[in-house]
């Protein structure tokens, strides 16, 4: 089992997958209202899930999808330790399911408006093969072999399609509501697409039509970190992939990921990852 503390950190990648064990990392006590979606599949023990004013107990074999913007809390129920697979995903950075489908973010919003159930009973979870699909995402993320990110994104597409079918059977109507561009809500996509550019927080604030202080406050509230650290963590995530799956030298990687120079990249990578890029490449290979 790997570090389930990842689930306590801000999501600065398109997705994060891990096993969460209540014996290793206690579940957060406070309610959360995240900008990302969070899906968990319960393996052992029971949890009490609070969604807004509603509560219910989730038992082994059941799954739950917590949509963005919904206040939620997951607490251990009873004395038995809890083990579950957890997936976080940023709907803004997930590919569109198909040309005829609304964006995933819009579908999640409609599911919240319609009040469709977020918990999948065990029998239907088995029909949807959620146990294996979720476990595959966790396994791929843990092993980080070539193409793991493509496999996880593709598997998440299957999981989301199954969840949408589940919701459609319970009254969900898909509406493709327009989403304004250049807002704080869609900024993670812009940053991801322009990591190789000289991204300045002041310009991002202006792009969203906000003053710098107001932008900084709103950004931290939404994403859990300040904008500069968010950008640096996205860059380190990209550097990591170049180190793992290419033979590019450090100078070339720093240019591809928007760093002013190689020493700046090395410094930031070590600050976030704990080791230098060269040491990371040797260790992982």
């Amino acid at each position: 089992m790997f570090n389930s503390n990842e689930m306590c950190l801000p999501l600065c990648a398109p997705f994060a997958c891990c096993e969460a064990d209540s014996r290793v990392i206690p579940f957060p006590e406070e309610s959360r209202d995240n900008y990302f979606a969070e899906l968990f599949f319960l393996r052992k023990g029971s949890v009490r899930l609070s969604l807004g004013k509603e509560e219910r107990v989730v038992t082994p074999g059941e799954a739950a999808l917590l949509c963005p913007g919904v206040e939620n809390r997951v607490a251990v129920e009873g004395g038995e330790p809890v083990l579950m697979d957890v997936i976080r995903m940023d709907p803004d950075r997930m590919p569109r399911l198909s040309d005829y489908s609304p964006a995933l973010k819009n579908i999640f919003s409609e599911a919240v408006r319609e009040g469709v159930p977020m918990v999948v009973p065990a029998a239907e979870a088995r029909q949807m093969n959620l146990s294996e699909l979720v476990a595959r995402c966790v396994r791929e993320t843990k092993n980080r072999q070539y193409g793991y990110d493509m496999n996880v994104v593709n598997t998440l597409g299957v999981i989301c399609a199954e969840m949408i079918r589940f919701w459609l059977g319970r009254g969900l109507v898909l509406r493709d509501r327009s989403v304004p561009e250049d807002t704080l809500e869609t900024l993670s996509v812009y940053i991801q697409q322009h990591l190789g550019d000289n991204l300045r927080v002041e310009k991002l604030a202006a792009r969203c039509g906000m003053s710098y202080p107001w932008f900084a406050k709103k950004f931290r509230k939404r994403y859990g970190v300040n904008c500069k650290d968010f950008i640096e963590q996205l860059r380190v995530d990209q550097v990591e992939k170049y180190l793992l799956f290419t033979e590019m030298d450090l100078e070339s990687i720093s240019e591809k990921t928007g760093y002013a120079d190689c020493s700046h990249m090395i410094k930031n990578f070590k600050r976030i990852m704990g080791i230098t890029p060269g040491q990371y490449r040797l260790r992982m290979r």
Side-chain angles (χ1 to χ4, degrees):
M1 183 179 301
F2 57 107
N3 185 13
S4 58
N5 189 49
E6 290 178 18
M7 290 298 101
C8 302
L9 301 174
L11 180 64
C12 293
F15 61 82
C17 315
C18 79
E19 290 177 331
D21 188 338
S22 64
R23 295 169 298 181
V24 179
I25 301 293
F27 289 5
E29 292 294 329
E30 71 281 359
S31 297
R32 299 173 296 165
D33 177 0
N34 300 318
Y35 74 92
F36 49 79
E38 189 168 25
L39 181 143
F40 66 81
F41 185 91
L42 202 62
R43 303 285 179 187
K44 295 181 180 178
S46 300
V47 298
R48 180 167 294 276
L49 173 63
S50 302
L51 291 173
K53 297 181 179 180
E54 298 182 8
E55 286 192 359
R56 66 156 292 174
V57 174
V58 183
T59 57
E62 294 186 318
L65 178 56
L66 313 180
C67 291
V70 177
E71 186 176 358
N72 66 82
R73 180 173 176 267
V74 180
V76 175
E77 178 75 5
E80 186 179 355
V82 170
L83 179 64
M84 60 185 181
D85 292 340
V86 183
I87 299 175
R88 287 174 164 185
M89 55 182 147
D90 182 348
D92 285 324
R93 286 186 280 167
M94 288 290 111
R96 204 178 186 94
L97 294 175
S98 64
D99 291 338
Y100 60 79
S101 174
L104 190 57
K105 179 178 180 179
N106 289 7
I107 297 175
F108 287 157
S109 296
E110 291 298 332
V112 174
R113 288 191 190 97
E114 298 289 341
V116 293
M118 299 295 162
V119 177
V120 182
E124 290 173 270
R126 283 194 297 271
Q127 293 176 359
M128 297 158 69
N129 197 27
L130 286 183
S131 177
E132 173 53 31
L133 290 171
V134 173
R136 184 187 304 166
C137 292
V138 174
R139 187 168 59 248
E140 287 283 345
T141 304
K142 178 181 179 180
N143 293 335
R144 289 179 180 259
Q145 295 180 322
Y146 183 85
Y148 82 93
D149 47 350
M150 293 183 287
N151 278 346
V152 171
V153 168
N154 289 336
T155 305
L156 285 176
V158 176
I159 292 173
C160 289
E162 291 290 344
M163 283 300 305
I164 293 166
R165 290 177 178 179
F166 174 75
W167 288 335
L168 288 171
R170 284 152 182 81
L172 177 66
V173 177
L174 298 182
R175 298 180 177 88
D176 198 357
R177 303 175 192 263
S178 61
V179 178
E181 296 182 358
D182 298 342
T183 66
L184 193 64
E185 286 70 27
T186 59
L187 194 60
S188 63
V189 178
Y190 179 85
I191 293 174
Q192 181 76 54
Q193 293 172 344
H194 294 83
L195 277 180
D197 300 343
N198 180 22
L199 291 170
R200 298 182 62 83
V201 179
E202 296 87 349
K203 291 185 177 180
L204 294 175
R207 186 178 182 86
C208 295
M210 299 180 184
S211 67
Y212 179 87
W214 183 243
F215 172 84
K217 180 179 180 180
K218 298 291 286 185
F219 191 97
R220 177 178 283 278
K221 181 178 180 181
R222 177 172 177 80
Y223 294 101
V225 293
N226 66 49
C227 187
K228 182 180 178 181
D229 285 346
F230 185 86
I231 294 170
E232 292 298 342
Q233 290 189 50
L234 260 67
R235 282 183 169 146
V236 165
D237 183 68
Q238 195 65 34
V239 169
E240 181 185 15
K241 291 182 174 64
Y242 282 123
L243 292 171
L244 286 173
F245 306 126
T246 77
E247 298 300 327
M248 291 172 60
D249 58 52
L250 298 186
E251 191 70 39
S252 300
I253 293 175
S254 68
E255 293 176 4
K256 292 280 284 185
T257 51
Y259 284 101
D261 53 64
C262 187
S263 61
H264 186 198
M265 180 194 75
I266 294 172
K267 180 180 178 180
N268 275 297
F269 191 93
K270 185 175 182 180
R271 177 175 62 86
I272 293 174
M273 300 295 288
I275 57 176
T276 66
Q279 291 169 335
Y280 180 84
R281 177 175 263 172
L282 287 173
R283 178 181 295 181
M284 297 304 291
R285 291 186 175 183

